[in-house]
C-alpha cells in the first residue's frame, strides 16, 4: 500500500463554528463536485447502457412527441406557421422543467437512504438531477435545430442567446426541485400529487397551443401569474420567432428564477438537518 | 476518568480544545421526535393535522454525552442493543446533527460502516470505484491515482471492467473495503467486527487496519464483543439508554458492564 499522500491540511470540524446551513451546503457542493459529475454520469450511462440506440433516444424522444402533437394539432392551430418548431421548442423547455423537478424528488428519496449512512451535502441529489436534465436538454437541441431547418425556418443569430434562457430555466427548476423534495422526503404521495399538478400546469401554459388561443381579456392574468409562461417564452422566442425576448419578459423571468432559487435553497437548507431524523 | 468526573468536561463553549483531541463531544443530545402513529402520506398527515390529532413521542437516543478521544487512540464503545452506540457513530460521522451540544473533529472522518454505498449494478467495477469514492468525499484525480492499488487490493484483476451485477457478494464487499481504506484516514469509525471475504482476505484487512493503527490513525470502534474491545482498545465507554454509564480503561469498563 502506498503511504505517500499529497499533503493536505487536516479538515477540522466544529459544530459551534458551523455558520448558516445554506452556506455550508454551497461549500459542500464545491468540495463534492466530482460526486455530482459521477451521479450525472451514472444516470446517463445506466439509462443507455443496455439499449442499442443509446444516447440517440434522448434526441428521438422529443422528436416523437413533436410528430404526434404536430399530426394531432397542426390542423387546429393552422394560424401558427411552422407549428412543429413551435411545439418542439416549447416542449423542450417544459420537459426540462417537469423532468428535472420530478427527478429531483425521486433522487432525493433514493438519496435519503444514503444520507442516513454517510455524510454528504444534502443538496447533492437535487443538483445532480438538474445536471442530468441539462445534458439531455443540450442533446435535444440537435434535433430541434434539424426540425427548424427542415421546415424552412431561418437559422438566426438569436440562437446564440439560448444559454441565457437555459440558465434561468435551470435556476427556476432547481428552486422548485429543492422546495418540493424537502417535502417529498417525508411523504411519498407528494411526488404523485406533483405529477397531477404538472398535467394541469402544462395545459395552463402555452406549450402546445399558441398564446393567442386564450381570449385577450383573460390572457394577462392567465399568463402573467404563471412563472412557466415566461420560461417557455424566453426559450422559444430566439428559436422560433428569431427575436430576443423583451427586456420586461427577461427581467420578469430572471426575477422569478432567482427568487425561487433563493427561496428553495433557504427552505431546503433550513430543513436539511432534520432529514436523517426521519425514521 | 469515569462518569462522575464527566461534569468537569462541561466546559464553557468558548473553551479551547487541546491540540491532541481528535473527537470531542460536549453535552451531546439526540432526541427523536416521532408521531405516535405512523403517518405514511401527506394526505393522512394533513387530515390528522386539521383534526389536531398529531401527537408526538419524544425519545432520547443520546443524552448528555461527554467524550474525548485523543490522537492515535483506539476507543471502544460497548453496550447492549439499542443503547445508542450506532447513534453515537452517526453523530461523529455527521450524519445526525445533535439537537444540543458540541461536536469537534480534529480531522477527516472515514466511516468504515457502509462499504460499497451507492454501488450500481449496471456500472463496471471501475465506474463504481469512482462513484463510491466520490461519495466518500474523494476527488476524481485522487481516485484515478489510486485506482491500480485499489483493484490490486480487492483482487479483482480483469473483472474491474465488468458490470457489478456479475460480481459475487464477496467481490463487491472486497471492492467496497478497498475503496474505503485506500487512504490513511485521520479518524476511522468501525461498527462491529469487520468480516469481509474469505479468511485470507480478512487477514489482509487486519494487516491494513494494523498499518493504520501504527501510523497513528484515531479510531472509534463499536462492538458487542468484549474480547475484541479488550484486545483493541486502551479506553472504552459503556453506553446504556443513551447515557455513558462508565468510561475509562477498557478492563474496568467491562467489569462495570458485567457487574450491572
Amino acid at each position: 500500500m502506498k503511504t505517500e499522500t499529497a499533503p493536505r491540511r487536516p479538515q477540522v470540524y466544529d459544530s459551534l463554528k458551523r455558520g448558516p446551513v445554506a452556506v455550508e451546503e454551497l461549500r459542500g457542493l464545491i468540495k463534492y463536485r466530482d460526486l455530482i459529475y459521477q451521479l450525472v454520469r451514472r444516470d446517463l450511462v445506466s439509462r443507455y447502457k443496455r439499449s442499442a440506440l443509446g444516447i440517440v433516444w434522448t434526441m428521438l424522444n422529443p422528436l416523437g412527441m413533436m410528430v404526434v402533437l404536430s399530426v394531432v394539432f397542426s390542423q387546429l392551430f393552422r394560424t401558427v406557421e411552422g407549428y412543429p418548431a413551435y411545439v418542439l421548442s416549447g416542449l423542450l423547455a417544459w420537459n426540462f422543467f417537469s423532468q428535472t423537478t420530478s427527478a429531483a424528488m425521486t433522487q432525493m428519496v433514493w438519496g435519503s437512504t444514503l444520507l442516513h449512512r454517510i455524510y454528504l451535502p444534502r443538496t447533492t441529489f437535487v443538483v445532480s438531477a438538474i445536471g442530468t436534465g441539462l445534458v439531455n436538454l443540450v442533446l435535444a437541441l440537435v434535433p430541434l435545430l434539424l426540425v427548424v431547418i427542415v421546415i424552412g425556418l431561418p437559422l438566426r443569430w438569436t440562437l446564440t442567446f439560448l444559454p441565457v434562457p437555459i440558465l434561468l430555466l435551470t435556476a427556476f427548476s432547481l428552486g422548485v426541485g429543492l422546495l418540493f423534495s424537502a417535502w417529498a422526503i417525508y411523504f411519498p404521495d407528494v411526488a404523485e400529487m406533483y405529477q397531477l399538478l404538472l398535467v394541469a400546469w402544462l395545459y395552463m401554459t402555452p406549450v402546445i397551443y399558441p398564446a393567442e388561443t386564450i381570449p385577450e381579456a383573460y390572457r394577462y392574468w392567465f399568463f402573467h401569474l404563471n412563472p412557466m409562461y415566461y420560461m417557455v417564452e424566453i426559450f422559444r422566442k430566439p428559436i422560433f420567432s428569431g427575436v430576443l425576448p423583451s427586456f420586461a419578459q427577461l427581467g420578469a423571468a430572471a426575477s422569478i428564477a432567482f427568487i425561487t432559487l433563493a427561496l428553495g435553497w433557504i427552505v431546503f437548507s433550513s430543513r436539511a438537518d432534520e432529514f436523517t431524523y426521519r425514521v | 476518568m469515569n462518569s462522575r468526573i464527566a461534569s468537569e468536561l462541561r466546559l464553557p463553549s468558548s473553551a479551547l480544545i487541546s491540540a491532541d483531541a481528535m473527537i470531542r463531544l460536549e453535552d451531546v443530545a439526540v432526541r427523536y421526535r416521532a408521531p405516535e402513529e405512523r403517518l405514511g402520506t401527506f394526505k393522512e398527515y394533513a387530515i390528522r393535522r386539521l383534526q389536531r390529532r398529531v401527537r408526538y413521542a419524544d425519545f432520547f437516543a443520546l443524552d448528555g454525552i461527554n467524550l474525548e478521544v485523543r490522537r492515535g487512540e483506539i476507543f471502544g464503545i460497548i453496550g447492549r442493543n439499542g443503547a445508542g452506540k450506532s447513534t453515537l457513530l452517526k453523530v461523529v460521522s455527521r450524519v445526525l446533527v445533535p439537537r444540543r451540544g458540541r461536536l469537534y473533529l480534529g480531522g477527516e472522518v472515514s466511516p468504515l460502516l457502509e462499504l460499497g454505498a451507492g454501488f450500481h449494478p449496471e456500472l463496471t467495477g471501475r465506474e463504481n470505484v469512482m462513484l463510491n469514492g466520490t461519495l466518500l468525499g474523494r476527488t476524481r484525480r485522487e481516485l484515478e491515482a489510486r485506482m491500480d492499488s485499489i483493484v490490486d487490493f480487492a483482487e479483482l484483476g480483469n473483472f474491474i471492467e465488468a458490470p457489478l451485477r456479475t460480481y459475487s457478494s464477496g467481490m463487491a464487499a472486497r471492492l467496497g473495503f478497498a475503496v474505503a481504506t485506500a487512504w490513511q484516514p485521520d479518524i476511522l469509525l468501525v461498527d462491529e467486527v469487520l468480516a469481509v471475504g474469505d479468511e485470507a482476505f480478512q487477514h489482509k484487512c487486519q494487516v491494513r487496519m494494523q498499518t493504520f493503527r501504527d501510523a497513528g490513525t484515531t479510531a472509534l470502534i463499536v462492538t458487542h464483543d468484549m474480547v475484541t474491545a479488550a484486545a483493541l482498545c486502551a479506553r472504552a465507554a459503556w453506553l446504556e439508554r443513551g447515557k455513558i454509564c462508565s468510561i475509562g480503561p477498557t478492563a474496568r469498563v467491562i467489569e462495570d458492564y458485567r457487574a450491572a
Side-chain angles (χ1 to χ4, degrees):
Chain A
M1 190 184 108
K2 282 182 240 167
T3 38
E4 87 281 3
T5 336
R8 57 191 168 87
R9 268 180 299 151
Q11 300 257 332
V12 173
Y13 170 85
D14 190 341
S15 63
L16 290 181
K17 296 176 188 145
R18 231 180 130 204
V21 182
V23 179
E24 187 187 85
E25 283 293 316
L26 202 58
R27 285 217 187 97
L29 278 186
I30 294 166
K31 186 179 174 229
Y32 281 79
R33 60 188 181 278
D34 284 355
L35 171 60
I36 311 265
Y37 171 86
Q38 291 297 330
L39 287 173
V40 170
R41 192 177 178 280
R42 179 206 60 180
D43 285 347
L44 297 171
V45 169
S46 65
R47 182 166 159 203
Y48 300 121
K49 219 167 200 183
R50 286 176 121 177
S51 70
L53 281 172
I55 213 112
V56 178
W57 273 122
T58 312
M59 306 188 198
L60 288 182
N61 203 324
L63 268 187
M65 277 288 280
M66 177 215 70
V67 170
V68 172
L69 289 169
S70 299
V71 169
V72 176
F73 291 114
S74 55
Q75 282 306 305
L76 195 60
F77 305 126
R78 234 172 306 177
T79 49
V80 185
E81 209 162 318
Y83 179 75
Y86 177 87
V87 75
L88 185 56
S89 53
L91 212 53
L92 286 190
W94 178 265
N95 280 352
F96 172 79
F97 170 72
S98 69
Q99 284 170 6
T100 51
T101 47
S102 307
M105 277 181 257
T106 355
Q107 290 284 326
M108 193 66 219
V109 171
W110 173 82
S112 75
T113 59
L114 276 176
L115 291 180
H116 275 85
R117 297 154 67 189
I118 45 179
Y119 170 79
L120 294 170
R122 277 70 53 100
T123 41
T124 304
F125 305 103
V126 179
V127 171
S128 76
I130 303 284
T132 305
L134 214 45
V135 176
N136 285 333
L137 176 62
V138 170
L139 286 174
L141 286 178
V142 177
L144 173 68
L145 293 184
L146 282 178
V147 167
V148 168
I149 295 168
V150 167
I151 65 170
L153 285 176
L155 283 176
R156 294 196 184 86
W157 67 272
T158 48
L159 285 170
T160 56
F161 182 72
L162 271 183
V164 175
I166 290 178
L167 175 78
L168 296 183
L169 203 51
T170 304
F172 180 66
S173 307
L174 182 56
V176 173
L178 285 166
L179 279 172
F180 274 93
S181 50
W183 188 17
I185 198 168
Y186 296 105
F187 304 108
D189 58 336
V190 168
E192 276 166 58
M193 294 192 307
Y194 183 69
Q195 291 307 314
L196 203 63
L197 174 75
L198 277 179
V199 174
W201 200 343
L202 170 63
Y203 288 117
M204 291 194 321
T205 312
V207 173
I208 296 167
Y209 58 83
E212 292 74 41
T213 318
I214 303 294
E216 187 129 28
Y218 306 115
R219 219 180 281 162
Y220 182 83
W221 290 109
F222 200 72
F223 292 141
H224 288 237
L225 290 176
N226 177 359
M228 275 311 282
Y229 167 74
Y230 296 98
M231 299 299 156
V232 169
E233 278 293 291
I234 60 167
F235 183 80
R236 178 147 55 197
K237 267 199 172 154
I239 303 167
F240 180 71
S241 319
V243 290
L244 295 185
S246 73
F247 194 73
Q249 268 180 334
L250 213 54
S255 320
I256 293 168
F258 290 116
I259 290 172
T260 310
L261 176 57
L263 190 70
W265 195 273
I266 290 165
V267 168
F268 186 95
S269 301
S270 73
R271 290 176 157 214
D273 283 355
E274 296 295 315
F275 292 162
T276 45
Y277 275 91
R278 190 187 61 107
V279 219
Chain B
M1 191 165 52
N2 72 27
S3 57
R4 268 165 279 126
I5 314 176
S7 60
E8 281 175 21
L9 273 171
R10 215 163 290 164
L11 304 162
S13 42
S14 60
L16 287 171
I17 285 183
S18 74
D20 219 20
M22 283 304 271
I23 306 172
R24 187 178 162 103
L25 291 96
E26 287 173 19
D27 195 27
V28 165
V30 169
R31 188 191 67 221
Y32 281 98
R33 177 160 216 222
E36 279 185 355
E37 54 185 329
R38 176 138 184 89
L39 298 172
T41 66
F42 181 70
K43 200 175 76 191
E44 273 173 37
Y45 175 78
I47 291 169
R48 284 279 190 274
R49 188 64 192 267
L50 285 172
Q51 297 173 330
R52 295 174 187 285
R53 272 174 50 195
V54 188
R55 266 201 295 267
Y56 294 96
D58 280 1
F59 161 68
F60 278 90
L62 288 178
D63 195 4
I65 300 291
N66 290 288
L67 188 70
E68 186 173 278
V69 181
R70 289 173 218 121
R71 191 178 301 276
E73 200 175 14
I74 314 248
F75 195 94
I77 305 283
I78 60 171
R80 275 176 260 278
N81 278 334
K85 303 192 295 292
S86 300
T87 309
L88 184 65
L89 284 193
K90 282 188 174 181
V91 168
V92 176
S93 62
R94 289 173 62 198
V95 163
L96 270 181
V97 179
R99 305 273 182 185
R100 198 180 70 214
R102 176 189 198 180
L103 167 71
Y104 171 86
L105 298 166
E108 226 167 358
V109 171
S110 171
L112 213 51
L113 322 165
E114 301 298 344
L115 300 176
F119 270 177
H120 192 287
E122 284 304 316
L123 300 180
T124 67
R126 185 182 297 275
E127 288 165 333
N128 270 302
V129 169
M130 299 306 285
L131 183 58
N132 179 242
T134 47
L135 270 167
L136 297 172
R138 296 293 161 196
T139 65
R140 237 184 317 166
R141 267 207 2 236
E142 285 177 311
L143 284 157
E144 269 154 14
R146 285 281 161 103
M147 186 61 82
D148 291 341
S149 69
I150 290 171
V151 177
D152 274 355
F153 189 84
E155 300 166 11
L156 284 173
N158 290 332
F159 257 99
I160 198 68
E161 308 299 347
L164 204 90
R165 66 187 146 83
T166 63
Y167 285 27
S168 71
S169 57
M171 289 160 81
R174 267 163 23 214
L175 190 60
F177 185 89
V179 180
T181 61
W183 284 266
Q184 155 94 38
D186 298 328
I187 301 165
L188 194 65
L189 305 181
V190 187
D191 199 352
E192 294 304 333
V193 188
L194 284 162
V196 177
D198 56 18
E199 214 170 309
F201 189 75
Q202 275 187 35
H203 178 70
K204 252 171 86 174
C205 295
Q206 276 161 15
V207 170
R208 179 162 275 192
M209 303 301 274
Q210 201 71 47
T211 327
F212 286 164
R213 192 173 155 179
D214 296 343
T217 291
T218 310
L220 194 62
I221 297 179
V222 158
T223 182
H224 289 295
D225 182 16
M226 297 304 138
V227 182
T228 315
L232 286 174
C233 315
R235 287 201 310 140
W238 162 32
L239 218 55
E240 185 75 50
R241 290 204 193 120
K243 291 191 165 120
I244 291 179
C245 290
S246 173
I247 186 167
T250 308
R252 220 198 55 222
V253 172
I254 291 177
E255 225 171 85
D256 289 349
Y257 174 71
R258 291 220 164 110

